[in-house]
């Protein structure tokens, strides 16, 4: 296999370490404030559900691909 022609590694969460690796890691960035907002919004409804058979509300999380090396 040839890298990166045949295989590439992509991170998720854009942690600070991704900025300092060699080669610099391409990663998916997600807005942490939005993740926290969704978690707090989902918490009360999750506590009120009597069973796990009820459908769970879905949330759309907008992400951004940060292309590096």
């Amino acid at each position: 296999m040839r890298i990166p022609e045949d295989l590439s590694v992509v991170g998720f969460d854009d942690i600070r370490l991704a900025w300092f690796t060699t080669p610099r890691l391409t990663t998916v960035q997600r807005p942490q404030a939005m993740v926290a907002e969704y978690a707090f919004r989902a918490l009360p409804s999750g506590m009120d559900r009597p069973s796990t058979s009820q459908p769970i509300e879905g949330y759309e999380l907008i992400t951004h691909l940060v292309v590096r090396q």
Side-chain angles (χ1 to χ4, degrees):
M1 293 188 108
R2 297 168 302 148
I3 299 173
E5 293 83 5
D6 298 324
L7 177 70
S8 295
V9 174
V10 176
F12 185 83
D13 220 6
D14 198 22
I15 61 172
R16 291 297 240 175
L17 184 60
W19 298 38
F20 302 106
T21 60
T22 304
R24 294 181 60 213
L25 183 64
T26 294
T27 185
V28 175
Q29 186 180 63
R30 63 184 178 138
Q32 292 178 345
M34 187 179 289
V35 172
E37 177 186 336
Y38 287 168
F40 280 106
R41 200 182 306 167
L43 186 60
S45 63
M47 293 173 61
D48 293 339
R49 280 189 318 141
S51 73
T52 57
S53 63
Q54 291 180 323
I56 298 172
E57 181 180 353
Y59 296 91
E60 182 177 342
L61 183 63
I62 306 301
T63 59
H64 176 72
L65 181 64
V66 180
V67 178
R68 296 194 176 103
Q69 294 175 319

